Amino acid sequence: MSHAKHEWLLGAAILASLGGLLAVESARQRSEPPSGYIVQAADWELAAAAVREVGGEVTHELGIIDAVGTRLTPRQVDGLAARREVRGIHPEGPVRVAGTPQPDTFYPSVIGADLLHDEGTLGSGVTVAVLDTGTWEGFQISKNTSNQFRILTHYDAINDTSGLGSDDGSGHGTHVTSVAISSGRTKHPKKYNGVAPDADLVVIKAFADDGQGTYADVVRGIDWVVANKDSYGIRVLNLSFSAPPRSYYWDDPINQAVMAAWQAGIVVVVSAGNTGPDPMTVGVPGNVPYVITVGAMSDADTPGDGADDFLAQFSATGPTIEGFVKPEIVAPGGHVRGIMKDDQIIAVDHPEFLVGNNTFQMNGTSQATAVVTGVVALMLQEDPWLTPRDVKCRLLASADPATDPATNGLAYAVFQQGAGMVHAHDAVYETRTGCVNGGLDVAKDLDGSEHYAGPARMDAAGGFYLKEVGYGWDGTYYDTSGVPWIDGVPWIDASSWTSGVPWIDGVPWIDGVPWIDTIDWVDGDPYPNGSPWTNGVPWIDGVPWIDGYTPPLAETSAINAWVEQEK
C-alpha cells in the first residue's frame, strides 16, 4: 500500500470516528430532558419568539423583567446563547418559604401594636398581598373585626389562574398571613392575635405544598401583583421566603421583579432567611438594598418578660456581598402563635406544636416578616400618602436597638439587628421622611445604567465595619468628621448605612480581596465592645424593646431548614 493511500485511509477513519462521536453527542443532547430557564431580552415577546425559534417551550410570561420562563434542552440553550437579542439565560433554582414550628409569644403587645388597636388603628383600607403557599380561609383570616369578608382575590402563580378560593396544603402561608392580619381575639376582649386585623388580603400562591417553588412562579406572582395593584389597592407585599444568592443583587430575576414592585409604589417586606448566625448569609430577595429586610428576635419562652429577649441564632446576618447592611430591622420570630389547620403538612409533621384548635407555634424570619408587614398596614391606614421609602424611613427611625449597659454599646452589631426591634406605635407617630436609601435610584438599577455598593467593608482581621463611620476608643460611634452621632438614631440622621454609592471600578472589591479597605479601628479591633456574632445574649435588663426605650446619646443606634427551639 502506498504511503498516500495509507494517509487517506487513516484520515477517513479519523473522520468517521469523529463523525460517530458527534452523532453520539447529538443523540445525547436530543435525548436529554429539558430544564427550566428564565430567558431575558429587550421585552418578553422578543424573548418568547427567540425561545420558540429554537424549539423551546414558553411556560411563563414575565413582563415585569422582560423575560419568559422556559423549558429548554442543552442544544436549545446553546442556540439561544448565540442570538444577539437574548440578554440573559438564567437556570431555574429552588426557592423556599422560611419558617419552622416553635412555642408561644404575644407579638402584638411586644411591638406596641395593641396600643394602636386601642386607638382604632387596625389596618383598615389597606390591602396586603401575601405571596406564599396559599391560605386556609378560616374566619380569622377571611373576615375582619366587623365580620366582613376581606379576601379580595386569589392568584395561583403556579397554574396562572385567578379568582376566589384557594388552598394551602403546607400551612406556612396560612400561618404567615394570620400573623400579619388575623382578626381573632385573645382572652382579653380588646386584644387581637394579628398585627393589622382589619387589613384586606390578596392571596398569591407561588409555592407548592412542600414549600418548594421556582423562580418563574415567584416572578409571575410578583408580576401579577404589580399589574393588579390598583384594582385591589395593594400597598404591601409580604415575601416570607429565601433563596441562596447566585449573582449580584441586580442580576437576580426575583430581585429584578422585587425592585420593579418597589418602583411601582408597593412596600415590599422580605425575610432575611433562616441561615444565620454567620455573616453574609442573607438570601434572595433579602439582599435587595431598597426593600425592608427583616431578621428575627426570640425570647426564653417568657413572652411577657422582655429582659431575656435575644437575637435568634437562625436569623440571617449581613452584610450583603455588595456591602449593604441587612437586615435593617428585627421583629418577633420565635415562639410565634398563628393559625394552622391540624391536617396541613407542617402540623401533621410536628403535632407537638399544636396549642389549640387550629393554632400552631412556629419559629422563623417568615413570622418576623409578617409582623413588620402588619405594622406597615397600620402605618398606611394613618398616612396613606407615604411612599415605600418613607415607610422604610419611619420604621427604622422608630426602631429600638438592643443595647448592653455593661459596655455602653450595642448588644448586637448593626449587621445583625439593623436599626433594632420594630415598634408599631412609634412607627405610626414618627414624622421623618426620605431618611433611607440615599444615593440609590431604582430606575437606573433596573435599566442597567447604574448599580450600587453599600458602606460595609472587611478589615484585615476579617471583621466587618462601616466605611463612613467607626467606633472611637471609648466606644462612642463617630462619623468621618469626628463628631459623635446624636439624637438616639444616628444612622437615620446621617443615613450612611442605609445609602449606596455607584458601583464603579470594582468597588468594594479592592485588589481582588473582598471588603479590604482602610482600617479605621483603634488597635485594629473592629468591635471594641465585643464580638458582633455573640448569640443567645439577652438584649439588656429593663425591657429595652418596648415601652419606648431610647438608648443613651453615645450609643449607635422558601420553608428553610428546621430551626430548633431556642431558650
Side-chain angles (χ1 to χ4, degrees):
M1 180 183 298
S2 70
H3 180 70
K5 186 175 183 180
H6 180 269
E7 286 185 340
W8 181 87
L9 289 174
L10 180 59
I14 291 173
L15 289 173
S17 176
L18 180 60
L21 290 174
L22 291 173
V24 169
E25 175 64 15
S26 177
R28 182 192 68 79
Q29 288 191 351
R30 286 196 303 270
S31 65
E32 284 190 5
S35 300
Y37 293 87
I38 290 177
V39 177
Q40 291 183 298
D43 54 60
W44 75 264
E45 292 96 340
L46 202 60
V51 168
R52 293 188 177 106
E53 286 180 16
V54 299
E57 175 190 2
V58 174
T59 60
H60 298 69
E61 296 175 359
L62 309 175
I64 193 170
I65 60 171
D66 299 320
V68 291
T70 68
R71 300 282 294 171
L72 300 169
T73 65
R75 170 172 286 187
Q76 291 164 348
V77 171
D78 292 342
L80 282 173
R83 300 180 71 96
R84 297 181 62 182
E85 69 268 31
V86 174
R87 296 191 314 179
I89 304 173
H90 307 276
E92 270 284 18
V95 188
R96 297 184 176 187
V97 289
T100 50
Q102 293 294 319
D104 195 17
T105 192
F106 301 96
Y107 46 90
S109 297
V110 170
I111 65 169
D114 60 333
L115 303 176
L116 294 167
H117 297 167
D118 291 342
E119 297 171 2
T121 301
L122 302 169
S124 61
V126 179
T127 302
V128 172
V130 179
L131 189 150
D132 213 285
T133 60
T135 191
W136 172 60
E137 295 186 12
F139 76 92
Q140 295 176 333
I141 290 177
S142 63
K143 294 185 177 181
N144 62 21
T145 62
S146 300
N147 204 35
Q148 297 171 325
F149 192 77
R150 43 87 173 268
I151 300 180
L152 304 184
T153 192
H154 299 77
Y155 175 66
D156 186 332
I158 300 172
N159 297 305
D160 193 21
T161 58
S162 60
L164 292 177
S166 72
D167 60 0
D168 176 18
S170 164
H172 184 273
T174 300
H175 198 270
V176 164
T177 302
S178 72
V179 169
I181 68 164
S182 171
S183 61
R185 299 177 186 267
T186 67
K187 294 180 180 179
H188 189 289
K190 293 185 179 181
K191 300 291 184 181
Y192 296 98
N193 284 328
V195 178
D198 271 354
D200 291 328
L201 176 65
V202 167
V203 180
I204 314 296
K205 183 178 179 67
F207 295 87
D209 290 347
D210 62 359
Q212 300 284 343
T214 69
Y215 261 62
D217 288 340
V218 170
V219 172
R220 182 155 64 185
I222 298 172
D223 195 354
W224 186 94
V225 169
V226 173
N228 292 275
K229 68 180 182 66
D230 294 333
S231 298
Y232 299 105
I234 299 171
R235 299 295 309 276
V236 195
L237 173 60
N238 187 96
L239 302 178
S240 286
F241 64 85
S242 184
R246 301 186 295 174
S247 64
Y248 290 126
Y249 76 82
W250 58 80
D251 277 332
D252 187 275
I254 287 179
N255 287 351
Q256 292 170 8
V258 166
M259 288 191 289
W262 185 269
Q263 182 186 39
I266 299 171
V267 182
V268 186
V269 188
V270 305
S271 165
N274 294 349
T275 50
D278 292 335
M280 299 183 77
T281 52
V282 173
V284 168
N287 62 341
V288 173
Y290 301 92
V291 302
I292 301 161
T293 303
V294 186
M297 55 75 64
S298 189
D299 55 36
D301 209 7
T302 57
D305 180 8
D308 56 6
D309 292 353
F310 59 91
L311 186 76
Q313 294 190 38
F314 60 78
S315 186
T317 298
T320 70
I321 196 72
E322 301 84 14
F324 286 96
V325 174
K326 293 283 183 172
E328 288 124 334
I329 201 165
V330 294
H335 308 157
V336 178
R337 171 188 291 180
I339 298 170
M340 189 181 298
K341 291 180 65 180
D342 59 9
D343 62 352
Q344 290 175 310
I345 289 175
I346 294 175
V348 170
D349 289 345
H350 304 281
E352 66 272 24
F353 295 110
L354 285 164
V355 293
N357 184 30
N358 297 326
T359 303
F360 196 80
Q361 292 171 343
M362 294 184 72
N363 198 37
T365 54
S366 285
Q367 284 64 40
T369 301
V371 169
V372 175
T373 288
V375 173
V376 173
L378 300 178
M379 296 171 67
L380 290 173
Q381 176 189 337
E382 292 301 313
D383 293 301
W385 55 268
L386 292 176
T387 67
R389 184 184 179 193
D390 291 333
V391 169
K392 182 176 178 179
C393 168
R394 294 185 176 188
L395 277 172
L396 271 58
S398 59
D400 292 330
T403 56
D404 183 353
T407 60
N408 197 34
L410 293 177
Y412 299 98
V414 68
F415 301 115
Q416 294 175 296
Q417 64 167 315
M421 176 74 160
V422 67
H423 196 285
H425 187 270
D426 291 354
V428 166
Y429 286 98
E430 177 60 56
T431 59
R432 305 184 204 207
T433 59
C435 59
V436 297
N437 293 3
L440 302 177
D441 188 326
V442 69
K444 291 181 178 179
D445 228 338
L446 284 169
D447 69 22
S449 61
E450 195 164 87
H451 303 304
Y452 303 98
R457 299 291 185 273
M458 178 189 286
D459 69 11
F464 293 98
Y465 68 99
L466 298 178
K467 183 178 180 182
E468 303 301 328
V469 297
Y471 277 111
W473 64 271
D474 59 354
T476 302
Y477 225 30
Y478 288 84
D479 65 18
T480 51
S481 66
V483 179
W485 285 359
I486 58 174
D487 294 337
V489 261
W491 50 82
I492 297 300
D493 291 339
S495 74
S496 66
W497 69 258
T498 59
S499 300
V501 296
W503 185 277
I504 300 171
D505 297 331
V507 175
W509 306 96
I510 309 298
D511 297 330
V513 181
W515 310 117
I516 300 297
D517 202 18
T518 303
I519 300 173
D520 297 329
W521 307 101
V522 177
D523 297 328
D525 182 3
Y527 297 105
N529 293 328
S531 169
W533 313 120
T534 303
N535 295 288
V537 178
W539 288 101
I540 58 168
D541 296 332
V543 197
W545 277 357
I546 57 176
D547 299 330
Y549 173 84
T550 301
L553 296 182
E555 296 174 358
T556 68
S557 311
I559 299 175
N560 287 343
W562 187 263
V563 179
E564 297 297 331
Q565 179 176 344
E566 298 179 15
K567 284 191 176 182

